[in-house]
Amino acid sequence: MSRATLRNLAALASGVVFGLGLSLAQMTNPDKVLNFLDVAGSWDASLLFVLGGAVVVSAVVFHFILKRRAPLWDTVFHLPLARAIDKPLVIGSALFGIGWGLSGYCPGPAIASGGLNNPEALWVVPSIIAGAALQRWSHYRQTADID
Amino acid sequence: MTSFTPLSALAGGLLIGTAAILLLWLNGRIAGVTGMITGLLVKPSGTQIWRLLFLAGLVLGTVLYAAWGQATPLRHGFPVPLLIVAGLLTGYGTAQANGCTSGHGVCGLARLSVRSLVATGTFLGVAIVTTFVVRHLVGLAT
């Protein structure tokens, strides 16, 4: 198998494990997410454990992976180059926060919900793609960070 | 109401971390869903097919879990216009910030990126305030 094929398989496998994790953590249930965000009401702290578990295990293993010269099936690491704490970062994150707090869907669980026959995904997913397309096509030069 | 489920939440988080580790170790890539979407929008070419496969895997993983795991309850009667507005804001905002809960929230924090810490603090804080306003001040959604 060529390395390109192996990389495609790795991306598929990573997506499957990610989807299993989101489902097991119940991130695909928007009520669970909104109850996590609702600290003044019916607060459900479960999602702290999702984020905590994911970040801690990744941080420990990333540390060792990034000491390698290259990933296993590619010649270089493709890491984000942006470092700046700038307006687009903060304003974009704030707009996302409003969307997340309104619906209970961040992009991953929204797309994953398509696998649940969830009718809400039919509205949320195209809207997320349309919003992202609008941003990319109007500000391509400023924010492109894709290789 | 949803019940507090720390164990399945932690196990789910470990799986999400494992997915991020696999993609960085094998392909040298960040497992960020926003990057997958914008990458496909900006350069829809053959070399971007892995992003589509990752997103397909996301759906497939959920299908597999639904087949064997506990059923995920679906929400009923949530206003569709609110879903559309929320989706547009989420898509626009995550594209502008170059990341969402997965790219900034998981991978960025794991890389000890200050930029991702600021992004995560901002979207989490604003989402908490938004939920407060919607549920307790406006009383829009349950």
Side-chain angles (χ1 to χ4, degrees):
Chain A
M1 256 190 281
S2 74
R3 274 184 148 201
T5 309
L6 287 171
R7 285 199 296 272
N8 285 340
L9 287 175
L12 181 67
S14 171
V16 169
V17 175
F18 209 111
L20 285 172
L22 287 176
S23 303
L24 179 58
Q26 296 181 60
M27 293 274 309
T28 45
N29 176 359
D31 281 329
K32 183 94 175 162
V33 175
L34 290 179
N35 284 339
F36 165 67
L37 295 171
D38 190 5
V39 290
S42 48
W43 194 46
D44 176 354
S46 307
L47 264 56
L48 271 184
F49 289 73
V50 184
L51 189 64
V55 170
V56 170
V57 73
S58 311
V60 171
V61 184
F62 276 20
H63 177 75
F64 293 102
I65 293 173
L66 293 173
K67 279 186 178 167
R68 295 169 53 99
R69 292 172 65 99
L72 202 61
W73 291 337
D74 204 340
T75 48
V76 285
F77 284 103
H78 306 267
L79 299 175
L81 301 172
R83 283 281 165 84
I85 315 288
D86 50 13
K87 260 194 191 165
L89 179 78
V90 176
I91 293 172
S93 297
L95 292 175
F96 164 41
I98 296 172
W100 195 26
L102 281 177
S103 69
Y105 287 107
C106 51
I111 290 171
S113 291
L116 293 171
N117 268 333
N118 180 348
E120 291 191 342
L122 294 177
W123 299 104
V124 170
V125 175
S127 305
I128 289 176
I129 294 171
L134 187 70
Q135 196 282 332
R136 275 302 131 126
W137 294 336
S138 54
H139 295 86
Y140 178 60
R141 284 200 190 86
Q142 287 96 317
T143 49
D145 188 20
I146 297 290
D147 68 321
Chain B
M1 282 297 281
T2 51
S3 51
F4 180 49
T5 50
L7 286 182
S8 60
L10 187 63
L14 292 177
L15 279 176
I16 292 169
T18 304
I21 288 165
L22 275 177
L23 201 62
L24 187 71
W25 174 50
L26 298 173
N27 294 9
R29 295 282 181 176
I30 294 296
V33 174
T34 296
M36 305 291 166
I37 296 172
T38 52
L40 285 166
L41 285 170
V42 172
K43 278 191 194 170
S45 66
T47 52
Q48 298 288 320
I49 194 79
W50 69 273
R51 296 190 200 271
L52 201 59
L53 287 166
F54 178 91
L55 294 177
L58 212 55
V59 177
L60 185 59
T62 311
V63 169
L64 290 174
Y65 183 85
W68 291 315
Q70 229 176 359
T72 303
L74 297 182
R75 183 168 58 182
H76 296 284
F78 195 83
V80 166
L82 208 54
L83 288 174
I84 295 173
V85 170
L88 290 171
L89 287 167
T90 299
Y92 192 95
T94 53
Q96 190 172 30
N98 268 312
C100 55
T101 346
S102 48
H104 281 311
V106 175
C107 298
L109 292 188
R111 291 197 303 126
L112 312 177
S113 153
V114 180
R115 188 175 142 82
S116 290
L117 183 65
V118 171
T120 307
T122 304
F123 63 65
L124 201 55
V126 172
I128 287 170
V129 171
T130 303
T131 306
F132 180 81
V133 170
V134 169
R135 284 191 165 182
H136 301 284
L137 298 185
V138 185
L140 240 181
T142 50

